[in-house]
Amino acid sequence: MKLEFKSVPYNIKEGQIFFLYGNYKKAFDLFCDFVASKLKEKRANVRMKNCTIAEYEKSQNFSQCDLFGSKITCYCIRGIEDKHLEKIQNFPEENSVFILESGDFFKSKKVTDTLIKNPNVLALASFNNNMTFLSLCNMILPKLPSVIYNEVVKIINETDEGLISLFRKLSLLLDDGNLEDLKDYIKNKQSFLDNLEDISLIRFMLQAAIKANIFGKDQSYTGLDLKQKIHFLMDAEIKQKSEYPFNKNYLRKNLAV
């Protein structure tokens, strides 16, 4: 069954299968990251696993049943082809969410046509065009003025930056309702970190450091050296609120790559 990206937040649940088809492959990682983050808001014990169909099958052969159903796994599987159709139809419904991406066009015509028509699968068209970009904007950054969406679409068309990195920056600018900051970023293409106030900058760095050091998530898009910097940044926030504030140059110097 066809679905637009902007409707995804209302359809994230255990046992769901999402299927991305089309020629815009950059959306897949962003989509997996978004779905996993939404699952974590509802359920603490969530893991995301990127794999092939063969790797998934191998992991199932060696996995043990979770008697308490405490963990949910979000499987992100690329390269889905016609030969995988039967395997997809036998995916388990408990403790799993599946995000699939079509493979070679000539080898995935049948599976694409079948999954689009399957009422138990949510199929999302992901093509390299403004319609896809606009729908992604509505999914990641809901309830913004249309003029902002149009400008973000322009940025996506112009930049080589990864979508996860780009949308994380834009989302952070909106965390405190900083719509004007977002407009400035879009208008002037200024350095993202330079636009943040000191406390917001430290908190952004701290969140990135935690993700990098504790959860092992790639934060290279920040351009900062975050290894073993959690305590430094916690101390920086305390001092920033006291009589010994750090300036941005000091922070950058200590986090320079």
Side-chain angles (χ1 to χ4, degrees):
M1 181 176 69
K2 288 186 177 182
L3 186 76
E4 292 188 32
F5 283 108
K6 64 181 180 180
S7 299
V8 166
Y10 310 105
N11 291 277
I12 299 175
K13 60 184 180 180
E14 186 175 334
Q16 187 62 67
I17 299 176
F18 295 99
F19 176 65
L20 277 64
Y21 64 96
N23 63 355
Y24 190 63
K25 303 303 183 181
K26 291 183 179 181
F28 184 72
D29 288 334
L30 174 70
F31 188 79
C32 290
D33 185 75
F34 177 80
V35 171
S37 67
K38 291 301 180 183
L39 286 170
K40 290 175 182 177
E41 292 177 3
K42 302 177 182 178
R43 191 167 177 176
N45 199 351
V46 176
R47 69 168 181 168
M48 185 169 69
K49 184 174 180 61
N50 290 277
C51 59
T52 63
I53 280 285
E55 290 169 339
Y56 166 74
E57 288 185 307
K58 185 176 180 180
S59 70
Q60 295 306 294
N61 291 335
F62 291 97
S63 65
Q64 294 181 345
C65 182
D66 184 356
L67 298 178
F68 300 99
S70 60
K71 179 187 294 183
I72 184 168
T73 302
C74 182
Y75 292 99
C76 299
I77 306 176
R78 292 182 181 272
I80 298 299
E81 298 179 351
D82 294 343
K83 62 184 178 181
H84 301 135
L85 183 56
E86 183 177 350
K87 297 173 183 178
I88 294 172
Q89 294 172 337
N90 292 322
F91 279 161
E93 296 183 359
E94 295 182 355
N95 301 331
S96 303
V97 170
F98 292 89
I99 302 174
L100 315 176
E101 183 185 57
S102 62
D104 181 271
F105 174 76
F106 295 103
K107 297 180 180 179
S108 59
K109 289 183 178 181
K110 180 179 178 181
V111 70
T112 297
D113 183 61
T114 302
L115 295 184
I116 286 176
K117 297 175 181 177
N118 189 328
N120 297 318
V121 175
L122 298 181
L124 299 109
S126 181
F127 291 95
N128 191 3
N129 58 40
N130 288 351
M131 185 177 296
T132 292
F133 303 158
L134 186 60
S135 191
L136 285 169
C137 288
N138 275 274
M139 180 182 76
I140 305 294
L141 305 170
K143 301 179 181 179
L144 287 181
S146 58
V147 64
I148 295 295
Y149 287 138
N150 292 335
E151 293 301 324
V152 173
V153 167
K154 289 181 183 178
I155 292 177
I156 296 174
N157 278 309
E158 295 171 0
T159 186
D160 292 328
E161 183 175 8
L163 290 186
I164 292 180
S165 170
L166 175 63
F167 277 106
R168 280 177 181 170
K169 293 175 180 179
L170 297 179
S171 296
L172 188 62
L173 285 173
L174 290 168
D175 276 351
D176 298 316
N178 297 322
L179 190 56
E180 292 304 316
D181 289 343
L182 176 59
K183 290 179 180 178
D184 288 340
Y185 174 79
I186 290 172
K187 181 179 179 181
N188 302 314
K189 307 290 191 300
Q190 295 174 336
S191 170
F192 165 66
L193 297 179
D194 286 340
N195 284 339
L196 293 179
E197 295 296 328
D198 292 337
I199 290 294
S200 296
L201 177 62
I202 292 172
R203 287 177 177 172
F204 167 76
M205 292 177 173
L206 180 57
Q207 290 174 5
I210 290 172
K211 291 177 181 178
N213 290 281
I214 297 179
F215 298 105
K217 293 186 176 181
D218 181 20
Q219 301 294 299
S220 58
Y221 72 92
T222 63
L224 303 171
D225 179 10
L226 299 170
K227 294 180 180 178
Q228 308 302 322
K229 295 296 172 63
I230 293 178
H231 291 295
F232 168 76
L233 290 166
M234 292 175 66
D235 185 56
E237 181 170 355
I238 292 172
K239 290 185 176 181
Q240 195 66 33
K241 295 176 179 177
S242 64
E243 65 271 24
Y244 303 105
F246 291 162
N247 59 40
K248 289 183 179 180
N249 288 334
Y250 180 81
L251 290 171
R252 285 180 177 278
K253 182 179 179 181
N254 281 271
L255 297 172
V257 175

